[in-house]
């Protein structure tokens, strides 16, 4: 008698409960999905809804009401080496003879259709709003320094160069650049123009204290004296 055991591989499709739930969610409309999320948040105490406001221009998530992506794009298209206020649009504008002689002159060609929507002002960027606020906080001869500082922010809102480099490139006293940098940091979103993550957190902590928010004890001491240990998770040493 010969007894043998043969193994035969067969593939069968099994629908998991997770897949069923996913297909159900994908079939919902936008309004139905919002209602489902709201219902889940009410029934599940461990489920929290965190709303993120997005930029109306590029769609990126706003940080403290500011789109850092638009700031980066604005900085990339600006001319950071300019030291004359006229280079930043604060001086006079040069017009061609056609524009002066003919009030109805249009820079568009005859074959281009006039679009009145293009005349509607777009929502100002954070960099533009900051420059407007700085006009009331700085004398006109310091606008170009503030503009240059904003033009040297990276995509995360950090100052990409040192104050020494800014002072050298602007041919301005370092004390003056430091003072203007402090003004920009106070007027902008908390943490903007910080030179490193430690300074960014300290600026945010300072704003929380100014707003009267309850700050846990020893937070400033940890940031000022044990920031490296905090990043290395050396809590016992702290």
């Amino acid at each position: 008698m010969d007894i043998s055991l043969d193994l035969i591989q067969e593939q069968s499709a099994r629908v998991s409960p997770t897949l069923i739930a996913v297909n159900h969610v994908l079939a919902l409309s936008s309004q139905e999905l919002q209602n489902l999320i709201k219902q889940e948040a009410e029934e599940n105490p461990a489920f929290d809804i965190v709303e993120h406001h997005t930029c109306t221009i590029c769609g990126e998530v706003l940080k403290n009401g500011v789109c850092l992506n638009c700031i980066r794009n604005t900085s990339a298209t600006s001319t950071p080496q300019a030291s004359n206020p006229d280079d930043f649009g604060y001086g006079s504008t040069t017009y061609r003879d056609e524009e002066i002689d003919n009030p109805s002159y249009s820079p568009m060609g005859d074959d281009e259709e006039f679009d009145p929507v293009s005349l509607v002002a777009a929502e100002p960027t954070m960099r533009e709003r900051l420059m407007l606020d700085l006009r009331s906080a700085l004398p006109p001869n310091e606008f170009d320094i503030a503009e240059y500082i904003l033009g040297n922010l990276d995509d995360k809102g950090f100052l990409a160069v040192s104050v020494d480099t800014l002072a050298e490139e602007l041919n301005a006293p370092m004390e003056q650049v430091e003072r203007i940098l402090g003004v920009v940091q106070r007027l902008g979103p908390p943490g903007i123009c910080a030179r490193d993550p430690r300074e960014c957190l300290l600026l945010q902590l300072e704003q929380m204290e100014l707003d009267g928010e309850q700050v846990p004890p020893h937070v400033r001491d940890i940031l000022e004296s044990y920031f490296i240990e905090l990043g290395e998770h050396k809590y016992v040493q702290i």
Side-chain angles (χ1 to χ4, degrees):
M1 182 178 295
D2 186 13
I3 300 177
S4 62
L5 180 63
D6 296 330
L7 298 179
I8 301 176
Q9 293 183 350
E10 294 183 356
Q11 293 183 347
S12 60
R14 299 182 59 186
V15 180
S16 64
T18 302
L19 183 59
I20 296 176
V22 169
N23 289 332
H24 173 67
V25 171
L26 292 176
L28 297 177
S29 64
S30 177
Q31 185 62 41
E32 292 173 341
L33 180 59
Q34 293 180 9
N35 294 336
L36 180 62
I37 294 175
K38 183 178 179 181
Q39 179 182 354
E40 181 67 21
E42 294 175 351
E43 298 176 354
N44 189 351
F47 184 84
D48 293 329
I49 298 179
V50 180
E51 296 184 359
H52 294 287
H53 298 284
T54 58
C55 178
T56 57
I57 299 175
C58 65
E60 290 288 333
V61 177
L62 299 181
K63 302 294 185 180
N64 295 324
V66 175
C67 180
L68 299 181
N69 183 53
C70 289
I71 297 176
R72 177 190 59 191
N73 295 335
T74 304
S75 301
T77 55
S78 64
T79 307
Q81 295 296 333
S83 58
N84 188 338
D86 292 347
D87 296 334
F88 296 104
Y90 302 122
S92 60
T93 304
T94 302
Y95 296 93
R96 290 182 289 181
D97 294 338
E98 304 94 295
E99 300 175 71
I100 299 177
D101 298 336
N102 184 8
S104 61
Y105 172 80
S106 173
M108 297 183 298
D110 296 335
D111 56 342
E112 296 185 23
E113 184 178 356
F114 173 71
D115 183 11
V117 179
S118 62
L119 299 180
V120 179
E123 183 179 355
T125 63
M126 189 213 69
R127 184 170 178 268
E128 295 170 342
R129 292 197 298 268
L130 263 177
M131 285 307 303
L132 290 175
D133 294 338
L134 288 169
R135 286 179 177 272
S136 60
L138 294 173
N141 61 336
E142 292 183 340
F143 289 163
D144 56 337
I145 299 180
E147 176 85 7
Y148 194 86
I149 292 175
L150 294 176
N152 279 278
L153 299 181
D154 63 13
D155 56 350
K156 295 183 179 180
F158 287 97
L159 187 61
V161 297
S162 65
V163 175
D164 295 342
T165 303
L166 289 174
E168 181 179 353
E169 294 178 349
L170 290 167
N171 193 23
M174 188 169 61
E175 295 78 10
Q176 183 185 26
V177 177
E178 281 274 12
R179 177 175 54 80
I180 296 175
L181 175 61
V183 174
V184 176
Q185 290 174 339
R186 289 192 297 271
L187 288 179
I192 194 70
C193 292
R195 283 157 282 193
D196 52 56
R198 174 178 169 274
E199 184 181 20
C200 179
L201 292 174
L202 286 172
L203 289 172
Q204 296 182 34
L205 178 63
E206 180 180 350
Q207 186 61 49
M208 292 174 61
E209 294 172 345
L210 291 175
D211 293 340
E213 298 186 29
Q214 186 69 28
V215 179
H218 310 301
V219 172
R220 180 173 292 277
D221 294 336
I222 292 175
L223 292 178
E224 291 180 345
S225 305
Y226 301 98
F227 186 72
I228 301 299
E229 290 78 5
L230 178 65
E232 295 175 349
H233 307 288
K234 296 180 179 179
Y235 305 124
V236 175
Q237 181 177 346
I238 295 175

